[in-house]
Structures are given as C-alpha cells and as structure tokens.
Amino acid sequence: MAELNHRGVEEILVEKNLLTVEKLKELQVDAAKLGRPVGDLISERNLVSPEDFAQALGEVLGVPFVKLTGMDIPAEILNLIPQNTASRYVLIPFEKTDSTLKVAMSDPLDLQVIGFLERRSGLKIETHIAPAKEIVETIEHEYRKTLGEEVVAALEEAGVGKPLKIEEVKDIEREQDTVRRSPVAEIVSSVLSYAARNRASDIHIEPTENKTRVRFRVDGVLQERLTLPLEIHSSIVSRIKILSNLKIDEKRIPQDGRFKVEVGGREIDLRVATMPTSLGEKVAIRLLEETAEIPTMDQLGMRGVALKRMEDSMRRPNGIILATGPTGSGKTLTLAAALSKINSPRLNIVTVEDPVEVRIPGINQTQINPVAGLTFAAGLRAFLRQDPNVIMVGEVRDSETAELAVHAALTGHLVFSTLHTNSASGALPRLIDMQIEPFLLTSTIIAVEAQRLVRRICPECKAEYEAPSEVIKQVKDTLGSLYVKTTKTEKKDKLVLFKGGSKGVECKICAGSGYSGRTGIFEVLLMSDTISRLVLERRPTSEIEEQAVKEGMITLVQDGFMKVLEGATTVEEVLRVAKE
C-alpha cells in the first residue's frame, strides 16, 4: 500500500475546485467547536458527491479508487466472499489474479477485516476504496445473479451419479439428518435467499416429466429462474417440510406449514403449501415481510374521487366497508392503511386475520387457528363480546361469516373486510349468493372498494414514445371527459406516453423487464338510494356498475389509464390486470 498523503481530504477537494476556500474556513471553525475532523463534516453535510469524497479520501490514504457502477463481476469472484460477509463489512470483491483478490471497501484500512478475508479466500487482498452506498447497491445487484452458480456448486458437491432422491421412507430420523446435511440444504437456502433479495412474493417448486422447475413471482408476474434435476425433487420437498414442521412421510394429501427466515436484516414469514400431483409433490411458498412502516392510502396509489369516498366512509360510526379483488392484489395492506388512519386511543379496534401480515401498533390483532376451532366466524363472534368500535375480518369466506359481519354492522360497529370478486359492483350479488338478504345489504354496506396492482415503469430505463392511433382512441374512449382533465401530454393529435426497457438487459434495476415495483389502481362504489333499489331488485352486476359510473365512480381501467398518462405505468400493464 502506498504511503499516507500528509494533506487532508479537505485540501484535496479545494485543489480540485470541489470545495471553496471560504467554505473550508467555515468548516474549520465548526470542526474546532465540535471537536470533529473537517472531513467528517464534509461527508455528513453532503458538500461533495460521495464519489468525489471517496476519491479524495483514497488519495489521502494511498488507496486506489474504483468505480463499481456498471461493473459486471463474475460469479466465481463473488463466491470467494459470501454475501452476508460482504454486506456486514460493506465490501465487494471485483477482480482476481493468480494470487491477489481486489476488494472495494468503504474502510480500506480495516486490517482485521483484511486479515479475515485473506484467511477466507487464501489470496492476498488488494484494497480499493469506493462510496459505501455504491458498494451496497453493487452487492444487491451482483449477488442476486449468482443463484444458478450457487446451486450448481451444491449439485457438484453431491457428486455425479449420486442421486439424492430418497426412494422410500423407512427411518424418518435418518432421512431428516441426511437432508439437513446434504447439499439440498444449500440449494433450498439459495432459493429462499434469492427470492427474498429480489422481493419475490411467491416461490413455486414444481416437478415436470424430466426436471424440477423453480419459478418466482416478482411484481405479480411469474418468472422461471432455475431448473433442477428431477432426482433431487423429493429431497428438496423433504427439506422444506422439515423447516415447516410438516410430515415428510405424508405425500398423499396437501399440507400447510410456516417458518421464518432472516435475509439482510429483514425477517420474512414463509407460508408453505404442498400439493400432490401426478408427477410428485408441488410446493408453493408465500413470502410475507413484516412491514416496518404502514403506507398511507395515497402512497398505495389511491387518490382523487376514490380516496375521498374511502375517507368519508371511514368516518361513519357503523356499517361495512369491503375491499375486493383477486389474491395478491393488496387488499390487506389497503385495509391496514385505513385502520392505521382511523386508529386512536378512543377506539377499540380488533382484527381477525389469516395470517397477521401487517402489524399495526395499538390494534388488537388475532390470527385464526382452524385446528383449534378459531375460524373467522368464531373470532368475529368472540369479538362482539370485547366491546369493539371497529372490527376487521380478514376475509368473508362463507355465509356464517357474512351474516355475523352484517349483524355486527347493524348493532353499531364499523366493519372492514375483504371479498374475492372481480369488481366493486360484483360484491353485492356475491353476498346475495351467500344467502344475505338484499335489504340487510342496503342497510349495512357503506362502500365497496376494488383494486389491482400494476407494475411501475422502471425509472432507470424509462423513455418517451408516441402512442399509436389505436392506443390514443382506446385511452380517449375509456376516459371520456376524464381525459380532458388529466392529460397534459397531447400535442397536435399526438399522445406522448412512457415505457421501460430502453436499456435492454443492461438495466441494473429491472434486468430488462421495463418494470420495477408496483402501485395500485382502484374503484370505489358507494351505496346510494338508486343502487340500493337495484340490489333489492336483485339486478345483475352490469346494471349496478353502470349506475355507479353514472354516480361518479371511476373504474379500475379508468384509474389505470390516468396513471398511464401520469407516466407511472403502461396501457398493456393496466389491461393485463384489469381487462374490461
């Protein structure tokens, strides 16, 4: 390593015209008052970019600077230092020679860490300096690509011609020990870690005729990322069953279990469901991360007419507010945001859920346990004896739960719940199908909200384009008068929209998909006198929706197209999740 430079970081920054002399004098006075180094104040106050500061600090320390952005690091180099070590010490290996490993560090003079890395890798460590934020981002991006390599290494460890499949279960304890110690454990760990790092909501492990397919649902879309030899499928399933405390010798019936993992300081609850198929057992795993901060409804994407209608409904002392949509459309988070908004010491708010996905401070939340007899209906019946003001039922699944929810609303409680229907107007006929009398619905239902989640356009590779004439016509026809009120991008019969994917597979955020993250689209139906009459007459969903639109309801597709005009998502994405 080169000798230390006797100049300070601040002097180098002044020489490079990145810091003025006047500002330096001001910093020196502050540093003297606080008893702090000038360099620390420059960094804390963001007076120069992290990259410029790291370059100057590198000159002071005699350590070369490396720019990591855009760098493609081979998997064999990343595998020399585990991701948890890289994240813990904020460092990443990026180049290797026969005897030397180059490592970017935020603290390149930490001799203890350097010694540990040399023992771990068996190579001489050559340190470089880089901004800590850039190192963290590179760790996230580069290590997520190594899933295949990690699995291949585990398979090689198992040995060629040594299938791990356990043909017949005779000694359960021996099988459990074998699966725990075998490379299968490494494979399962790699799959779970990859899913957590990439913010997947579900993992599907499925046997086919000649392989095991592993798919991940990211931003609502399934993606195949890994295939495994069919010979190890039973061992993979057995390993997951052991973690979930399921019976590994029972392969004829479905089983449900759960366990928790910690990845990058995040605790994730995993719900496991196995299902026998003609080719073997299929495993579906739902990843539920405990939300540290509950978003507001506006942050979820609800705004304008829909937001005002929901907020007005939530102020009512009694009645039923329903959130509808398919599984995975964000209903639970919307209700959590609603409960969080009205939560106060003056209200006794209780919930019964399956499972408790979002913990809300100050609210009594109960998880159902059907084995012990605690169902939604039983929990709701018990809550009515707990002097509640507001009740949230995770889902109206059957007639008994629906009847109890209606009874709770009639006796002065505000009830929130979810229902699986495709639209807000479809919830009313659905409840009638559950044997709820129409006159009870018109007396208790305040509002029905429907929602979907659409993928956001990736901010990194977002680009403008002129929409073709058929798209312009579709947007105008769908929005009607709303088009005039919302669009600011039309010029001379041209409509400028946005799409992702302009950088192709090189995009570090979306890996070429064009999308990153999701937002909600919503519609909110209010129970008016006219709609009440239609419900009492048992009119079809189409008539109820037509009347709701006349009364000012903005539909899912309209809300989606308004977000298209804002540049948040695409027409294709809106139509994918909310086809008319």
Side-chain angles (χ1 to χ4, degrees):
M1 186 179 291
E3 293 184 3
L4 294 181
N5 193 319
H6 293 293
R7 294 178 299 164
V9 173
E10 62 275 15
E11 294 171 308
I12 293 174
L13 292 173
V14 169
E15 286 179 12
K16 293 182 176 182
N17 296 320
L18 297 171
L19 193 70
T20 64
V21 175
E22 292 76 16
K23 191 65 179 178
L24 175 58
K25 289 179 180 178
E26 181 185 322
L27 286 168
Q28 287 172 335
V29 172
D30 289 348
K33 290 179 181 177
L34 298 170
R36 303 274 306 282
V38 175
D40 286 359
L41 298 183
I42 294 172
S43 178
E44 288 175 8
R45 297 177 183 181
N46 297 316
L47 298 176
V48 298
S49 70
E51 185 173 314
D52 289 332
F53 187 86
Q55 284 182 322
L57 182 59
E59 288 188 33
V60 171
L61 301 177
V63 177
F65 171 84
V66 61
K67 185 172 179 60
L68 296 170
T69 304
M71 186 178 291
D72 187 16
I73 305 173
E76 59 267 21
I77 293 177
L78 294 171
N79 289 336
L80 293 170
I81 297 177
Q83 184 181 1
N84 58 351
T85 301
S87 299
R88 180 178 180 183
Y89 297 113
V90 194
L91 55 87
I92 188 168
F94 63 90
E95 191 176 317
K96 174 184 175 294
T97 62
D98 291 340
S99 59
T100 304
L101 181 64
K102 294 183 179 181
V103 179
M105 303 177 66
S106 60
D107 182 6
L109 296 186
D110 192 330
L111 299 180
Q112 188 173 356
V113 172
I114 294 170
F116 167 72
L117 296 178
E118 288 183 339
R119 291 191 299 274
R120 168 90 196 190
S121 64
L123 299 167
K124 178 177 172 56
I125 300 299
E126 182 180 312
T127 59
H128 289 60
I129 192 169
K133 183 180 178 183
E134 193 172 303
I135 294 175
V136 170
E137 289 175 350
T138 306
I139 289 171
E140 275 294 310
H141 178 255
E142 293 298 310
Y143 275 96
R144 75 170 59 178
K145 302 187 305 185
T146 65
L147 173 64
E149 286 80 0
E150 291 172 1
V151 172
V152 168
L155 291 173
E156 288 176 350
E157 183 185 334
V160 179
K162 296 180 182 178
L164 300 175
K165 183 178 181 181
I166 300 166
E167 297 292 346
E168 194 163 336
V169 179
K170 293 180 180 177
D171 187 339
I172 300 302
E173 290 185 5
R174 181 170 59 82
E175 178 179 357
Q176 290 179 341
D177 187 55
T178 300
V179 173
R180 281 194 189 99
R181 291 185 291 106
S182 74
V184 168
E186 293 296 324
I187 294 172
V188 172
S189 177
S190 297
V191 167
L192 297 178
S193 178
Y194 178 87
R197 292 200 307 266
N198 287 273
R199 306 283 177 177
S201 60
D202 299 87
I203 307 169
H204 293 261
I205 301 172
E206 306 158 317
T208 65
E209 291 185 353
N210 51 20
K211 65 181 180 181
T212 291
R213 179 173 65 170
V214 182
R215 295 190 291 171
F216 302 87
R217 189 178 295 279
V218 179
D219 289 339
V221 178
L222 275 175
Q223 305 170 358
E224 185 173 327
R225 284 287 180 265
L226 179 68
T227 59
L228 297 169
L230 194 58
E231 288 78 15
I232 68 169
H233 181 79
S234 291
S235 295
I236 294 284
V237 175
S238 294
R239 172 60 179 165
I240 293 170
K241 284 182 175 181
I242 290 171
L243 293 171
S244 311
N245 199 28
L246 300 178
K247 298 177 181 179
I248 63 174
D249 57 334
E250 180 55 82
K251 302 180 181 182
R252 302 164 299 171
I253 60 174
Q255 295 188 71
D256 296 317
R258 64 192 310 160
F259 64 100
K260 289 187 177 183
V261 296
E262 186 173 318
V263 178
R266 298 154 49 213
E267 191 172 80
I268 299 173
D269 189 21
L270 304 173
R271 283 194 291 168
V272 177
T274 67
M275 171 68 70
T277 72
S278 60
L279 298 173
E281 285 186 283
K282 177 188 185 299
V283 179
I285 304 174
R286 169 66 58 89
L287 288 81
L288 300 171
E289 183 176 357
E290 292 188 2
T291 307
E293 185 175 339
I294 301 167
T296 63
M297 287 188 287
D298 181 63
Q299 289 171 336
L300 293 174
M302 188 182 292
R303 60 191 68 175
V305 173
L307 180 60
K308 185 178 187 309
R309 287 183 165 197
M310 277 295 286
E311 289 181 338
D312 289 345
S313 300
M314 287 154 45
R315 296 190 187 101
R316 298 276 291 273
N318 59 278
I320 298 175
I321 298 173
L322 292 173
T324 70
T327 301
S329 58
K331 302 185 295 296
T332 300
L333 196 54
T334 299
L335 291 187
L339 292 178
S340 182
K341 183 174 179 62
I342 65 173
N343 188 20
S344 79
R346 293 179 290 107
L347 292 177
N348 179 21
I349 303 177
V350 292
T351 77
V352 55
E353 306 171 61
D354 180 27
V356 176
E357 296 181 30
V358 183
R359 300 195 183 279
I360 311 170
I363 290 180
N364 304 291
Q365 296 175 267
T366 301
Q367 182 166 311
I368 71 167
N369 186 352
V371 176
L374 180 55
T375 61
F376 281 124
L380 183 50
R381 193 178 291 109
F383 281 163
L384 293 174
R385 298 190 292 271
Q386 291 289 322
D387 184 32
N389 300 104
V390 180
I391 300 171
M392 196 272 268
V393 183
E395 183 185 343
V396 176
R397 291 181 178 174
D398 50 45
S399 300
E400 185 182 9
T401 307
E403 287 175 7
L404 286 168
V406 168
H407 173 70
L410 288 171
T411 53
H413 304 91
L414 183 60
V415 180
F416 291 84
S417 191
T418 70
L419 192 65
H420 284 90
T421 59
N422 291 326
S423 64
S425 53
L428 302 170
R430 175 79 181 96
L431 289 169
I432 293 175
D433 287 342
M434 289 185 176
Q435 310 305 314
I436 304 300
E437 291 294 336
F439 74 89
L440 292 175
L441 293 181
T442 59
S443 303
T444 55
I445 299 290
I446 305 171
V448 183
E449 173 262 326
Q451 66 182 80
R452 301 287 191 279
L453 291 176
V454 294
R455 292 179 292 173
R456 285 184 172 275
I457 298 173
C458 174
E460 181 71 15
C461 57
K462 186 175 184 178
E464 294 182 353
Y465 76 99
E466 285 188 10
S469 57
E470 59 269 22
V471 171
I472 297 176
K473 183 178 186 306
Q474 186 177 24
V475 172
K476 285 184 176 181
D477 290 347
T478 302
L479 288 179
S481 61
L482 294 171
Y483 180 83
V484 179
K485 296 176 183 177
T486 59
T487 182
K488 297 179 181 178
T489 54
E490 188 181 15
K491 295 180 181 178
K492 296 180 181 179
D493 296 325
K494 293 182 180 179
L495 182 62
V496 178
L497 300 179
F498 295 88
K499 62 181 178 180
S502 63
K503 294 186 179 180
V505 294
E506 296 178 3
C507 180
K508 293 181 67 173
I509 293 181
C510 70
S513 70
Y515 298 97
S516 177
R518 291 191 288 179
T519 188
I521 58 175
F522 302 85
E523 65 182 24
V524 179
L525 177 150
L526 294 181
M527 182 66 79
S528 65
D529 291 340
T530 308
I531 292 177
S532 294
R533 178 175 54 78
L534 294 175
V535 173
L536 290 170
E537 294 173 359
R538 298 176 184 260
R539 305 306 282 269
T541 298
S542 57
E543 289 190 32
I544 296 173
E545 179 165 324
E546 184 180 346
Q547 180 59 34
V549 171
K550 287 180 182 178
E551 295 177 3
M553 183 181 81
I554 295 174
T555 66
L556 286 170
V557 178
Q558 287 177 328
D559 190 36
F561 279 2
M562 290 167 72
K563 288 181 170 65
V564 169
L565 296 176
E566 294 169 6
T569 188
T570 64
V571 171
E572 295 79 12
E573 183 65 8
V574 172
L575 295 178
R576 181 183 69 84
V577 303
K579 292 179 181 177
E580 293 180 286

